[in-house]
Amino acid sequence: MTLSFICFLTLFALIGLSSAFQSKGNKSDYYLASESVSPWLVGLSAVATNNSGYMFIGVIGYTYVTGLASIWLMAGWILGDFLASLYVHKQLKEATAKTKEVSFAGVLSNWHGKSGNGLQRIIGLISLAFLITYAAAQLLAGSKALHVLLDWPLWYGAVIGAVLVCLYCFFGGIRASIWTDAAQSIVMIVAMSILLVTAVNSVGGLEQAYSSLATIDGYMDWTPEKLLLPGVFGLALFIISWIFAGLSVIGQPHVMVRFMTLNNADNMFKAKLWYYLWFTSFYCMATAVGMLSRLFIADTGSFDAELALPTLAQHLLPEVLVGLILAGIFAATMSTTDSLVLSCSSAVTHDISSKKIEKTWVLKATTTVVTFIALLLALTSKQSVFNMVIMAWSGLASAFAPLLITQSLGGRPNQLLSITAIFVGFAVALLWRMAGLTEFIYEGLPGIIIGLLIFYIGLSHFKLTLPAQQQKV
């Protein structure tokens, strides 16, 4: 199995590193692949970046513990993601081409023409703080998989991942990440299909699987165990909160930058078609595998639920396929870490810095430093992958999603209004988490709603819009 893992991981790495042959050696190519990526690559890369270690480790672990009720998380997440895409993705791509910015913060800050640097720096600083946490979670996810299957010390995977991230960033920038994403997306949907079919057959078919799961107390209940309100109203509120979790994708710089690399805004429909076909198919299979793993791994007391996928693969599949799945998981987490680190690097060199840095060696050195910080966080963190991702995801969404939605719908908030909405939305989400309400309602829901409300009041009642001369830009 170790040999199989090393061979497949080497193949994924070579695919990413080969992107160096198309590198143009400039800042735009390093961070945006010169906005030349084809729709199918954008779609597969965006969905792999969106899920990666969170899907393979976090969601399957959550499903293993929760049971059938976890299906509401899947339905809400995909629906929210889709609804957001109807109004945002194409507009973001068009704004990228118009502003000629290379970072998510740069596009948001200069959507309607050049603004002051204050907003861009604030977005860059918030992005940096949360994306480093997110990157640490990805390194931790890969390490957990290697630890359970290969019995390597937990820190091995994080260090190997950090080295691969540095190689990707040095040789190909975001293009290396996109190519690797696409390769592992194809491999993982095939591998997950094999694992699902094998698991169903091993328990005697679908009917027997359902019957066996039904014997577990409460496992096949449609309603989550913990709801803020009882009955149908509590369930509705739970689902709505996860719709907002899916909508939160538009606040994630490392995912949205994929759509910014698209070769033409008119190709956005094709990119989203690839994205949602893969997303829906894989999420359904991941949920089913998470539930079936409960039949093979019954010791819920001492077992780390986030190791359910690699453990199940080890139980059911031959070593060569286990190595393939492990390499796919690891490659997914590393390519996502790569995109997170690149977004952090662009925040430092393009958004926070008083001078826009153009020298590629400085960009790469910055990326290396960011990777090292993420590695330290991964090695010292005591949180689960699921919690780390949700915390970063909701914080970024509460800060940025209201601004992006407002601008995509034609709003022209000035810098003061934008900064106010960013901080208040973020603060509401943080206070919601600190109050312990996250287990009932995803904290991004109140954060995003409050942010949108601030924009509505500011634009409609206080007229906090851009100056007339800037609106003409």
Side-chain angles (χ1 to χ4, degrees):
M1 179 170 53
T2 302
L3 179 60
S4 173
F5 164 73
I6 293 173
C7 289
F8 284 119
L9 185 62
T10 301
L11 177 61
F12 287 131
L14 289 175
I15 290 172
L17 297 179
S18 65
S19 67
F21 293 110
Q22 290 196 13
S23 175
K24 296 180 180 178
N26 57 49
K27 189 174 186 177
S28 176
D29 195 74
Y30 188 70
Y31 288 134
L32 286 183
S34 299
E35 296 182 54
S36 62
V37 182
S38 60
W40 75 273
L41 278 173
V42 168
L44 290 183
S45 177
V47 74
T49 302
N50 187 351
N51 295 293
S52 60
Y54 168 72
M55 178 75 76
F56 303 136
I57 302 298
V59 167
I60 290 180
Y62 175 81
T63 304
Y64 169 84
V65 172
T66 305
L68 185 60
S70 65
I71 197 171
W72 298 118
L73 188 153
M74 176 185 71
W77 197 292
I78 294 175
L79 178 58
D81 189 312
F82 175 72
L83 292 175
S85 75
L86 295 177
Y87 300 99
V88 170
H89 291 57
K90 187 174 182 180
Q91 286 79 359
L92 177 64
K93 170 56 191 172
E94 291 173 344
T96 303
K98 181 179 65 176
T99 61
K100 301 188 184 305
E101 292 284 339
V102 300
S103 70
F104 184 72
V107 175
L108 285 187
S109 304
N110 302 294
W111 192 285
H112 298 292
K114 293 296 180 182
S115 66
N117 291 330
L119 177 59
Q120 187 168 345
R121 285 176 179 166
I122 287 171
I123 296 176
L125 284 167
I126 294 175
S127 298
L128 180 63
F130 279 102
L131 292 180
I132 283 183
T133 301
Y134 206 148
Q138 296 300 316
L139 291 173
L140 184 59
S143 288
K144 281 191 171 186
L146 296 186
H147 175 66
V148 69
L149 287 180
L150 302 182
D151 198 28
W152 290 358
L154 199 56
W155 62 269
Y156 270 33
V159 172
I160 293 172
V163 171
L164 283 176
V165 166
C166 287
L167 288 175
Y168 286 166
C169 293
F170 265 87
F171 285 94
I174 196 169
R175 186 179 284 107
S177 181
I178 289 173
W179 286 19
T180 307
D181 280 341
Q184 65 84 17
S185 293
I186 296 169
V187 168
M188 280 309 299
I189 203 163
V190 172
M192 190 65 78
S193 300
I194 295 172
L195 182 57
L196 177 60
V197 171
T198 304
V200 170
N201 290 336
S202 297
V203 296
L206 287 173
E207 291 187 8
Q208 182 60 45
Y210 181 87
S211 299
S212 299
L213 289 171
T215 63
I216 303 173
D217 185 34
Y219 201 71
M220 298 304 287
D221 291 346
W222 288 91
T223 305
E225 182 178 350
K226 294 181 179 180
L227 294 174
L228 189 60
L229 297 173
V232 66
F233 294 105
L235 178 59
L237 193 57
F238 179 83
I239 296 171
I240 290 170
S241 75
W242 285 106
I243 289 176
F244 271 79
L247 183 146
S248 296
V249 70
I250 61 176
Q252 314 304 315
H254 62 293
V255 178
M256 298 310 292
V257 74
R258 261 57 183 170
F259 296 102
M260 292 163 61
T261 67
L262 184 63
N263 54 15
N264 192 309
D266 293 335
N267 289 329
M268 188 60 71
F269 175 79
K270 294 179 181 178
K272 290 196 296 183
L273 185 62
W274 280 95
Y275 179 88
Y276 287 109
L277 284 175
W278 193 98
F279 196 177
T280 305
S281 300
F282 194 81
Y283 211 144
C284 288
M285 287 192 288
T287 300
V289 166
M291 293 179 65
L292 286 167
S293 63
R294 188 66 176 264
L295 299 178
F296 296 90
I297 311 165
D299 186 12
T300 58
S302 59
F303 178 69
D304 183 350
E306 293 193 333
L307 299 177
L309 174 62
T311 303
L312 182 63
Q314 193 174 33
H315 278 326
L316 298 179
L317 299 179
E319 287 194 355
V320 63
L321 289 180
V322 176
L324 174 62
I325 287 180
L326 183 57
I329 294 172
F330 198 76
T333 58
M334 293 314 104
S335 58
T336 300
T337 307
D338 178 25
S339 61
L340 290 162
V341 166
L342 284 170
S343 292
C344 290
S345 177
S346 69
V348 173
T349 61
H350 188 74
D351 303 321
I352 301 171
S353 175
S354 58
K355 294 182 179 180
K356 301 295 187 286
I357 298 172
E358 301 294 336
K359 296 180 179 179
T360 53
W361 73 267
V362 179
L363 306 181
K364 294 176 180 179
T366 303
T367 303
T368 302
V369 172
V370 170
T371 304
F372 180 73
I373 295 173
L375 175 61
L376 287 180
L377 287 174
L379 295 177
T380 57
S381 175
K382 301 299 182 182
Q383 295 190 61
S384 71
V385 173
F386 188 84
N387 285 332
M388 291 177 73
V389 169
I390 291 298
M391 181 179 68
W393 190 270
S394 60
L396 291 166
S398 300
F400 304 147
L403 175 58
L404 184 51
I405 291 171
T406 299
Q407 294 189 135
S408 296
L409 294 177
R412 297 173 179 267
N414 65 15
Q415 188 165 248
L416 174 62
L417 178 57
S418 297
I419 292 173
T420 301
I422 285 173
F423 276 113
V424 174
F426 165 71
V428 168
L430 181 62
L431 289 173
W432 192 269
R433 172 170 280 271
M434 291 174 63
L437 298 174
T438 301
E439 64 177 323
F440 304 108
I441 300 294
Y442 163 70
E443 64 258 36
L445 186 153
I448 293 172
I449 288 178
I450 291 296
L452 288 172
L453 185 60
I454 289 173
F455 277 119
Y456 174 75
I457 295 173
L459 291 173
S460 61
H461 296 283
F462 294 97
K463 309 300 180 184
L464 297 176
T465 61
L466 292 170
Q469 63 270 25
Q470 188 174 335
Q471 293 191 29
K472 295 178 182 178
V473 176

